[in-house]
Amino acid sequence: MKRSAPRRPRAKGRVRRTGGRGSTRPGAGGRGGGRRGGGAARGGGPAPEDLVDDVLEEAEQIGLLLDDAEEDEEDPEPHEEDEYFLRAPDQGPPRPRMRPARSITAAPKREAGGAGAPAPDPAIGRHFFPRNFTVRYPVAVRASGVFIHDSAGKSYLDGSGGAVVSSIGHGVKEIAEVMTRQAKRLAFAHSSQFATREAIGLADRIAALCPGDMKDSGRVYLVSGGSEAVETAVKIARQYQIDAGRPGRTKVIARWQSYHGSTLGTLALTGNVARRAFYQPMFADMPHIPPCYCYRCPYDLRFPSCKTACVEDLEAAILQNGPETVAAFIAEPIVGATLGAVPAVDGYWRRAREICTKHGVLLIADEVMTGIGRTGKNFGVDHHRVVPDLIVTGKGLSAGYAPLGAVVARGEVAETLRAGHGYFEHGFTYSANPLSAAIGSAVLDYIERHRLIARAARTGRILEKKLAGLARRHRIVGDVRGAGMLWGLEIVRDRKSREPFDAAKKASRRLYDSCLDEGLIIYPGSGTRQGKDGDHFLIAPPFTISASEIDELVARLDRGLGRVARDLR
Ligand code: PMP
């Protein structure tokens, strides 16, 4: 395969890549750390089957047992549906293939009676089930503006809006007042028995933010969060295909290195290797294609001479699976948690739209993180002037004030369900909950009244400059990318070769702890390089952050990075 000279991808609109001046990078050799065997590997990166092996090997080292390793060793032929890189028949040699990941189902090897297991943290009591038993969480007691305060009196600047949730800041009194009023008037009415003004009103408000014909004809399904919303979108896509007379369409194509949620249905789409590992045997196998990730291009190509091979693989995947089996394609406009705010290159989304339309596949934009102004526009797809068939949103929709998510279906999609079965075979107890809906509308009012989306675009430019400056001072920052108030910084051992730190060093976790000490919350992630190693973190403060608070954020991050860089040396 021909490789073009190293070059940075061209930024799309306001979706930018800055930082990481070391733009030279080696060819295949520079990315091959940890690469083993797997003669099929082309394009320079470790083959995905090596990646799975490495994750499993690591699991073995930390004491997790593999239940079916031997069986897999005897299976030299990978299954068709597990191809990682896909090529149309006339596009040259096949790409590396992914062997089905083996399941991790046994407990870590520890002595009977739990000896060697982490001691429980007395601060969380005897009954609260924490996310991680080994972490000592500060106990948050109140929050206001961009600060969260804990029970020990320490305050933290919320540099990531939690998990990119808080957009209007904490402790906004108007929202609390709406909450109280609504709770007194109508907290609950089941959506199978009543419609409510609150849900109808919020649906109108969300549709008004949507692109193209969705604004006029879109229908909005309200749920309690991002995972529920993705799950709902996938089921709408499936029922749409049934009601359109194409019942064979059951597959949803997703991308590696993505995040779509924690339920078994959404995890089957999620391309985060580590998050999938335990549960893989429990969910349906969905096809995945490589991400659009120029800093570590899965094809070792350069934009634009690559001709956006990553989106062309969408068509190859549809053809390989058979268009008559594919219901939808789902992607994040900016890959948030798993890659660290990686935007798609110019033309990616337009081409994805064309491919989906051509093959009767619905295009789902997962805007749980990027929606409602986070990138400086209403939705991430607005940077690409594309209208998807379904938009999924959450997080910033209620800005943390209520559990809330939504799916917007294009008029034609909803109309097909209405004209078909006449109902959507789906529903949660808290679907279209009036209390959450009233809070969502209050948040959207607040955003509109204070013109916070325009502010996110403006403030984002300031934040970008400051982060790029910080990146120049810290050699462990390899890349800064993102848009609006969603920025990702990738941490590397060597900026020039882009070689990450050894995964065992847990660089992003250490940076999180170091920043926490400084009183700054960031959102860390690892497995940036094909799920195997690599580290990144998100900076995504509330849109309301002031100039002096940005300076404070950057000063705390500066100190946090400095300490970790010294430790990692
Ligand atoms: N999709 C994306 C793009 C997300 O970022 C997230 C949350 N990180 C989800 C789905 C799942 O949302 P939730 O955690 O609210 O279920």
Side-chain angles (χ1 to χ4, degrees):
M1 181 188 304
K2 206 168 150 252
R3 290 197 186 96
S4 52
R7 227 188 82 175
R8 278 202 167 280
R10 185 155 49 93
K12 156 77 195 159
R14 275 187 207 124
V15 182
R16 290 193 208 151
R17 295 160 185 276
T18 60
R21 283 174 305 155
S23 62
T24 48
R25 57 186 295 234
R31 301 175 66 241
R35 181 170 159 190
R36 292 175 292 147
R42 268 174 287 271
E49 66 267 33
D50 289 347
L51 157 66
V52 170
D53 284 348
D54 287 337
V55 168
L56 294 170
E57 201 171 274
E58 194 181 316
E60 248 175 337
Q61 276 163 16
I62 60 171
L64 293 164
L65 299 175
L66 309 179
D67 69 341
D68 54 356
E70 275 172 29
E71 200 180 293
D72 258 48
E73 286 309 318
E74 285 166 12
D75 179 11
E77 250 325 286
H79 300 269
E80 277 301 302
E81 65 271 28
D82 291 306
E83 281 218 335
Y84 180 48
F85 297 130
L86 295 145
R87 301 297 282 169
D90 61 346
Q91 284 184 299
R95 304 273 177 145
R97 293 174 155 208
M98 184 166 190
R99 206 187 309 153
R102 286 161 295 177
S103 53
I104 300 173
T105 52
K109 290 173 201 149
R110 286 205 170 103
E111 284 168 39
D121 177 0
I124 62 163
R126 286 174 50 229
H127 301 294
F128 176 69
F129 203 130
R131 268 178 107 114
N132 185 333
F133 288 94
T134 69
V135 172
R136 304 239 151 182
Y137 296 98
V139 177
V141 290
R142 68 195 166 82
S144 144
V146 298
F147 288 96
I148 299 180
H149 307 273
D150 76 8
S151 56
K154 180 165 173 151
S155 62
Y156 306 83
L157 201 163
D158 189 0
S160 59
V164 195
V165 175
S166 302
S167 51
I168 67 171
H170 298 276
V172 176
K173 293 220 164 39
E174 288 102 302
I175 310 294
E177 279 156 17
V178 168
M179 232 182 245
T180 319
R181 269 203 310 275
Q182 184 63 39
K184 285 181 184 160
R185 190 167 55 231
L186 177 69
F188 179 75
H190 197 272
S191 60
S192 70
Q193 295 155 351
F194 294 96
T196 65
R197 287 192 195 121
E198 290 75 18
I200 296 164
L202 178 59
D204 287 346
R205 306 225 33 172
I206 295 171
L209 294 173
C210 286
D213 57 309
M214 274 186 160
K215 209 185 283 300
D216 289 330
S217 61
R219 287 215 178 255
V220 182
Y221 197 102
L222 298 170
V223 295
S224 302
S227 301
E228 279 191 7
V230 172
E231 192 97 26
T232 301
V234 166
K235 288 173 76 175
I236 292 175
R238 167 66 183 146
Q239 193 178 323
Y240 165 82
Q241 300 290 6
I242 293 172
D243 286 343
R246 301 186 283 258
R249 290 183 181 250
T250 55
K251 294 177 187 170
V252 177
I253 298 175
R255 304 191 297 182
W256 290 113
Q257 297 295 78
S258 61
Y259 185 70
H260 297 296
S262 272
T263 61
L264 290 174
T266 58
L267 209 46
L269 304 171
T270 289
N272 182 314
V273 174
R275 286 186 189 245
R276 290 168 63 90
F278 287 3
Y279 307 106
Q280 172 125 5
M282 301 170 75
F283 48 68
D285 207 9
M286 292 290 178
H288 286 75
I289 60 170
C292 180
Y293 178 30
C294 297
Y295 185 70
R296 299 186 189 283
C297 175
Y299 308 81
D300 217 19
L301 296 172
R302 303 282 137 186
F303 183 79
S305 60
C306 65
K307 300 202 170 69
T308 323
C310 48
V311 76
E312 296 308 326
D313 266 350
L314 170 60
E315 184 158 43
I318 294 171
L319 293 175
Q320 193 188 35
N321 283 278
E324 69 288 355
T325 70
V326 183
F329 168 58
I330 186 166
E332 299 162 80
I334 293 185
V335 184
T338 302
L339 277 184
V342 172
V345 294
D346 196 2
Y348 184 99
W349 275 84
R350 276 195 304 282
R351 181 71 185 125
R353 174 71 275 179
E354 266 171 36
I355 294 169
C356 287
T357 304
K358 179 175 163 194
H359 295 288
V361 169
L362 294 189
L363 176 60
I364 308 175
D366 182 348
E367 301 248 16
V368 171
M369 193 175 272
T370 50
I372 319 293
R374 176 53 68 178
T375 68
K377 291 188 185 281
N378 294 355
F379 289 101
V381 289
D382 294 335
H383 291 277
H384 303 274
R385 295 203 182 84
V386 156
V387 185
D389 298 300
L390 294 151
I391 292 183
V392 186
T393 194
K395 294 187 187 266
L397 178 57
S398 62
Y401 288 87
L404 188 61
V407 182
V408 190
R410 222 172 174 167
E412 194 252 319
V413 173
E415 184 52 27
T416 302
L417 268 65
R418 191 195 65 76
H421 278 82
Y423 63 91
F424 175 30
E425 183 54 85
H426 183 65
F428 302 107
T429 296
Y430 291 107
S431 297
N433 176 260
L435 181 54
S436 297
I439 294 166
S441 286
V443 167
L444 294 183
D445 279 344
Y446 192 88
I447 289 175
E448 196 180 296
R449 208 166 44 252
H450 297 274
R451 298 185 208 291
L452 290 186
I453 298 183
R455 184 184 166 126
R458 251 188 349 264
T459 310
R461 286 194 281 277
I462 300 169
L463 186 59
E464 177 193 5
K465 277 204 192 80
K466 305 242 169 189
L467 292 173
L470 202 62
R472 280 194 288 277
R473 287 204 300 287
H474 292 276
R475 296 200 56 76
I476 62 167
V477 178
D479 193 31
V480 182
R481 63 260 177 149
M485 293 297 273
L486 178 60
W487 292 93
L489 287 79
E490 189 159 337
I491 307 168
V492 290
R493 185 172 61 73
D494 183 335
R495 193 189 264 180
K496 211 166 166 200
S497 68
R498 306 183 180 189
E499 191 57 30
F501 284 101
D502 193 293
K505 286 198 184 288
K506 298 192 185 315
S508 54
R509 186 70 222 176
R510 279 157 88 155
L511 180 65
Y512 179 83
D513 290 340
S514 171
C515 288
L516 199 69
D517 282 352
E518 295 295 339
L520 173 66
I521 307 289
I522 60 169
Y523 193 53
S526 57
T528 327
R529 185 167 74 169
Q530 297 210 15
K532 176 182 158 285
D533 52 15
D535 298 272
H536 61 264
F537 62 98
L538 293 175
I539 294 294
F543 309 167
T544 47
I545 191 170
S546 68
S548 63
E549 286 164 342
I550 288 183
D551 287 342
E552 187 56 35
L553 185 163
V554 172
R556 293 182 189 196
L557 182 56
D558 195 10
R559 293 196 293 273
L561 276 166
R563 177 134 38 97
V564 162
R566 283 191 297 279
D567 284 358
L568 288 169
R569 228 187 273 138

